[in-house]
Amino acid sequence: MRDPDIGAVRPAATGAPRLDGAFLAPGSSSFSDFLSTQAPDLLPVRRGLPPGNAADLAPHGTTIVAASFPGGVVMAGDRRATMGHVIAQRDIEKVFPADEYSVVGIAGSAGLAVELVRLFQTELEHYEKIEGTTLSLDGKANRLAALIRGNLGMAMQGLAVVPLFAGFDHRTDHGRIFSYDVTGGRYEETSFHSVGSGSLFARGALKKLYRDDLTETEAVTATIQALYDAADDDSATGGPDMARRIFPVVSIITADGHRRVPDAEVAGLADQVVQARLQRPDGPVAGLL
Amino acid sequence: MSMPFYVSPEQLMKDRADFARKGIARGRSVAAIQYADGVVLVSENPSQALHKISEIYDRIAFAAVGRYNEFENLRIAGVRLADMRGYAYDRRDVTGRGLANAYAQTLGTIFSSGGEKPYEVEIFVAEIGDDPAGDQIYRLTYDGQVYDEHRFAVMGGTHDKVVAYLTKHYHEGASLEGAVRVAVDALGHDDAAPRTIPPEDLEVAVLDRTRSQQRKFRRLRPESLVEVLGTRTALPEDAGAAGAEPESTTGSGEDDPPVAPPVS
């Protein structure tokens, strides 16, 4: 097993002396490909693990939901990380901008997932700088699939990372959502989707709340409602923390790029949701027919 | 068997330097200028696809003159080095100085090794800090020497003429418009007869510390350049130009969205 320590990086790879042939070689514009030849120790994936199940060794992130609306897409994630039955962290962030026009949310083994997101962000930026143009949204989704696929071995030992990816496609002029499985399977979702332990409940809620003509703010409210329902029935998903004022991380992608909804704005919407739930704990009623 | 000629080391190095210098002088100049909010890089480059100026990292830009394939290699190496460093450590740990050192070592080794042709390139590594005092412009020559430049720097082409113009007309703490104008004028004074360079033949990029994004590098497209440069009617006479420069405040805001140009 390789030492994952940073110190294992050869000085030539990160520092002062002459840039060697690999740096000057023409060819790949993929950062992870470059890393796998120059400093494989830095890759979060492809690490050999001793046999056994490692699932309870590290915190797990839970529920992420995404919903599209005319003109963009919104993604929201709860703030809880669990380790077995313990709440490992109550204000973890699991939704990240991947680049200017896309966002990635992660469920699964938290440490690996955050590292994978960092790699994915660098991958997109690296391509953009070297090629002078951005990847297409499908290209980005496929790169993410390749990174997830590399993690299959560890996923089988309990350290799975399952992302949800969303972005604005300038070619078709609307927001798109992609889900993944641990083998790197990539599936495009219509309208809305969720991943993580509370995803079943969240998806059920979105099914009843989602409409094609939601405004941006209504879409944000729908995702907050969905996360509330997930937290209601799944012990690993955190609901709005009224005492500590911890609310979901919400990101919006439109033609103008990525915007993280300010905490105060999310808090306002979450307060409304909670107020309504005090009247009707199960949330808004959907029509029967 | 033929006898190899003896060439003294001094002569050998001189020949290699002359060779590199000749290649670099062939193209047009590139100028780097400090202004109030960062560093602006200006070059004359009719190609929209092949860049002389590019982004390396959050606060670091790269500009080059000379042979395209050679400096493109160096640029890609720089992006790889910076991204790798930023990924292995942290984004803040990627510095212009580290990059300039790596380039210097690379160019120096290539220059003095007998087996390789010296690179016919000269490059700028520009980095912005939190305030103008923290801004850095490094100029690296074909033989791996590093010069720490201040206020402005020019390389390639007939750079001495451009430097002479800038020495006369450069103002510290200029606005972006002012800095771009003086740089473009300076590049137009690279010959005995001054020229007006059309906006579509210019490549201009800026490291702008007022940008809200983490990545401070931004290209100025020809349409916004037209606006920045305004109507440059007559070729400014050397004496008259000095008076024309400080009018930069008449330009509109520094942000991208262009307003309609005034109808004349």
Side-chain angles (χ1 to χ4, degrees):
Chain A
M1 183 183 157
R2 260 176 209 286
D3 181 8
D5 197 287
I6 291 296
V9 182
R10 290 181 301 284
T14 49
R18 178 186 170 170
L19 296 161
D20 66 22
F23 281 87
L24 292 161
S28 174
S29 43
S30 161
F31 179 68
S32 61
D33 287 357
F34 179 69
L35 216 52
S36 65
T37 58
Q38 280 309 105
D41 345 284
L42 290 179
L43 285 174
V45 297
R46 292 184 205 131
R47 268 179 206 146
L49 284 185
N53 192 310
D56 288 336
L57 285 182
H60 279 242
T62 46
T63 312
I64 308 288
V65 297
S68 60
F69 61 91
V73 58
V74 46
M75 185 180 285
D78 77 309
R79 305 292 290 271
R80 181 170 292 180
T82 58
M83 223 163 112
H85 295 292
V86 174
I87 294 172
Q89 200 182 345
R90 52 180 104 253
D91 62 350
I92 191 173
E93 299 198 354
K94 296 177 282 189
V95 176
F96 306 91
D99 65 359
E100 190 108 13
Y101 292 102
S102 62
V103 62
V104 59
I106 40 131
S109 196
L112 276 178
V114 169
E115 197 62 16
L116 208 73
V117 166
R118 243 158 59 80
L119 181 63
F120 183 51
Q121 287 167 329
T122 311
E123 177 88 10
L124 298 185
E125 185 189 324
H126 191 77
Y127 182 94
E128 193 183 320
K129 287 190 290 199
I130 289 203
E131 297 290 328
T133 173
T134 51
L135 275 167
S136 64
L137 191 64
D138 294 276
K140 293 176 199 171
N142 286 338
R143 276 316 296 168
L144 184 55
L147 297 182
I148 297 299
R149 196 170 297 124
N151 194 44
L152 180 58
M154 290 205 281
M156 292 172 72
Q157 289 181 268
L159 297 175
V161 176
V162 183
L164 187 61
F165 178 67
F168 190 84
D169 193 339
H170 284 275
R171 203 172 47 84
T172 58
D173 224 33
H174 69 269
R176 295 167 68 189
I177 301 169
F178 297 89
S179 71
Y180 296 84
D181 64 31
V182 288
T183 63
R186 181 209 102 164
Y187 314 96
E188 179 156 9
E189 306 292 340
T190 47
S191 305
F192 59 86
H193 195 72
S194 64
V195 295
S197 61
S199 62
L200 294 182
F201 309 112
R203 211 175 306 161
L206 275 175
K207 248 186 193 172
K208 300 289 175 255
L209 294 172
Y210 184 82
R211 298 192 314 269
D212 287 337
D213 58 347
L214 291 176
T215 64
E216 190 179 293
T217 314
E218 285 171 345
V220 173
T221 311
T223 57
I224 294 174
Q225 290 277 18
L227 284 176
Y228 191 104
D229 281 320
D232 210 17
D233 290 316
D234 170 40
S235 62
T237 303
D241 189 333
M242 302 309 283
R244 296 187 186 81
R245 306 298 290 167
I246 300 170
F247 299 105
V249 174
V250 185
S251 279
I252 297 174
I253 307 277
T254 62
D256 298 331
H258 170 270
R259 179 172 82 91
R260 177 169 168 175
V261 183
D263 286 345
E265 215 173 296
V266 179
L269 291 171
D271 281 339
Q272 287 180 31
V273 168
V274 172
Q275 275 307 316
R277 298 270 176 159
L278 291 178
Q279 307 304 316
R280 191 172 188 287
D282 291 339
V285 188
L288 272 183
L289 280 173
Chain B
M1 252 182 85
S2 64
M3 280 283 283
F5 290 106
Y6 172 75
V7 183
S8 71
E10 291 85 356
Q11 188 59 42
L12 188 74
M13 285 302 149
K14 192 178 166 302
D15 287 351
R16 290 171 76 88
D18 284 346
F19 168 80
R21 250 187 243 126
K22 234 182 265 168
I24 295 161
R26 225 171 274 142
R28 297 281 188 194
S29 310
V30 173
I33 293 199
Q34 282 184 267
Y35 75 105
D37 297 322
V39 175
V40 56
L41 296 152
V42 182
S43 79
E44 193 179 348
N45 181 7
S47 168
Q48 295 288 318
L50 307 177
H51 295 301
K52 289 186 184 175
I53 302 170
S54 345
E55 172 186 15
I56 296 277
Y57 212 65
D58 291 354
R59 294 169 161 272
I60 304 174
F62 172 96
V65 291
R67 232 173 227 290
Y68 178 77
N69 65 322
E70 290 174 353
F71 70 67
E72 176 69 2
N73 262 355
L74 288 173
R75 179 186 75 88
I76 290 177
V79 171
R80 285 176 176 158
L81 182 75
D83 277 346
M84 186 141 150
R85 239 190 131 87
Y87 182 72
Y89 302 106
D90 187 79
R91 295 193 80 93
R92 275 170 306 174
D93 299 316
V94 180
T95 62
R97 201 176 58 87
L99 190 68
N101 273 336
Y103 279 145
Q105 293 296 335
T106 309
L107 286 168
T109 318
I110 291 172
F111 180 75
S112 50
S113 85
E116 284 175 277
K117 170 190 101 55
Y119 271 24
E120 298 162 70
V121 297
E122 205 164 313
I123 56 181
F124 281 151
V125 173
E127 181 182 31
I128 52 165
D130 294 330
D131 50 50
D135 293 354
Q136 311 274 354
I137 301 172
Y138 298 102
R139 183 167 61 87
L140 291 107
T141 55
Y142 54 87
D143 54 354
Q145 290 197 67
V146 190
Y147 300 88
D148 189 0
E149 305 275 5
H150 297 282
R151 301 166 72 223
F152 59 82
V154 186
M155 62 183 179
T158 46
H159 59 94
D160 39 349
K161 292 208 176 73
V162 183
V163 167
Y165 184 90
L166 278 174
T167 313
K168 225 165 162 188
H169 298 283
Y170 174 82
H171 299 280
E172 237 157 283
S175 67
L176 177 61
E177 287 88 350
V180 171
R181 273 190 221 179
V182 72
V184 171
D185 284 343
L187 291 186
H189 283 76
D190 63 347
D191 217 336
R195 317 169 284 137
T196 304
I197 307 169
E200 57 275 13
D201 285 358
L202 284 169
E203 184 183 354
V204 181
V206 57
L207 285 170
D208 178 357
R209 78 179 119 256
T210 60
R211 218 170 126 81
S212 58
Q213 287 94 329
Q214 197 168 29
R215 291 160 67 181
K216 307 295 182 192
F217 182 88
R218 172 166 69 103
R219 288 187 190 283
L220 297 188
R221 308 274 160 214
E223 45 289 7
S224 46
L225 272 180
V226 171
E227 195 194 325
V228 167
L229 294 172
T231 43
R232 294 173 297 162
T233 44
L235 290 172
E237 292 302 310
D238 243 19
E245 243 67 69
E247 282 175 27
S248 57
T249 42
T250 55
S252 52
E254 287 166 22
D255 286 326
D256 254 348
V259 268
V263 187
S264 52

